[in-house]
Amino acid sequence: MLASGDKAPSFELPDDEMHRYKLGQERGQHNVVLYFYPKDDTPGCTIEALDFTAMQDQFAALDTVILGISRDDCISHAAFRDKHGLTVRLLADTDGKVCQKYGVWQEKEKNGVKKMGIVRSTFIIDKQGVIREAMYSVGAKGHAAEVLEKIKALAGA
């Protein structure tokens, strides 16, 4: 698993508009909140995405972009975005390679059944591409506000 001080693994993924996004394009310009979530249009994932969307202007004022990643495809992301009016950029990691790089693809247990899945996790990456916070197994409700406070501290605001 990644930790504070590690260099953020680079990646390139398609987004909800089927445009390619490279993490490296933010270097020197923006901090990045990279949040991994299990599945589009599920209760916890919807709460988290709506909260990040509601606070997006506050993050932007602190030179921070928000990116959500799941293993859903671009079409699923677009439907999720449109259904809930989301404005955060959603990236499709359909083969799970980025999830593995960030250590969020883990064995989970639900109702006594073990299976692999995305552990809800968030990474705060500074303008130099260094992870400042690596938060694994986070809760959906109130998480965006917690992350905003960490970004304010990083920005000295």
Side-chain angles (χ1 to χ4, degrees):
M1 293 203 303
L2 297 171
S4 184
D6 289 345
K7 186 174 189 277
S10 63
F11 63 82
E12 181 177 344
L13 290 172
D15 69 8
D16 48 357
E17 291 288 329
M18 296 189 197
H19 297 127
R20 300 298 294 179
Y21 175 85
K22 290 183 182 179
L23 180 63
Q25 74 191 43
E26 305 301 345
R27 186 142 312 135
Q29 298 181 53
H30 300 106
N31 300 306
V32 176
V33 170
L34 184 63
Y35 79 96
F36 290 83
Y37 64 98
K39 187 139 183 69
D40 287 341
D41 209 20
T42 55
C45 298
T46 301
I47 288 168
E48 186 175 33
L50 286 170
D51 286 352
F52 275 120
T53 291
M55 297 177 188
Q56 192 165 15
D57 289 345
Q58 294 173 69
F59 282 100
L62 298 167
D63 293 328
T64 302
V65 297
I66 304 166
L67 304 168
I69 297 181
S70 78
R71 293 199 53 186
D72 297 299
D73 63 25
C74 298
I75 294 167
S76 176
H77 281 341
F80 181 41
R81 176 200 64 210
D82 293 348
K83 179 178 179 181
H84 297 285
L86 304 175
T87 57
V88 295
R89 195 169 194 179
L90 302 175
L91 305 178
D93 183 26
T94 55
D95 63 9
K97 288 181 180 174
V98 177
C99 290
Q100 289 180 352
K101 282 184 178 184
Y102 280 80
V104 302
W105 188 249
Q106 299 177 18
E107 185 175 72
K108 302 185 332 183
E109 186 173 343
K110 185 176 180 181
N111 300 326
V113 178
K114 292 182 180 181
K115 67 177 189 170
M116 296 300 288
I118 293 176
V119 173
R120 188 182 313 280
S121 304
T122 301
F123 301 86
I124 296 174
I125 303 167
D126 69 16
K127 293 178 183 180
Q128 289 71 45
V130 175
I131 295 173
R132 291 301 197 95
E133 294 273 346
M135 298 168 273
Y136 291 92
S137 299
V138 300
K141 191 170 185 173
H143 182 62
E146 175 189 351
V147 173
L148 181 61
E149 290 308 310
K150 291 178 182 292
I151 291 292
K152 286 178 180 177
L154 178 64

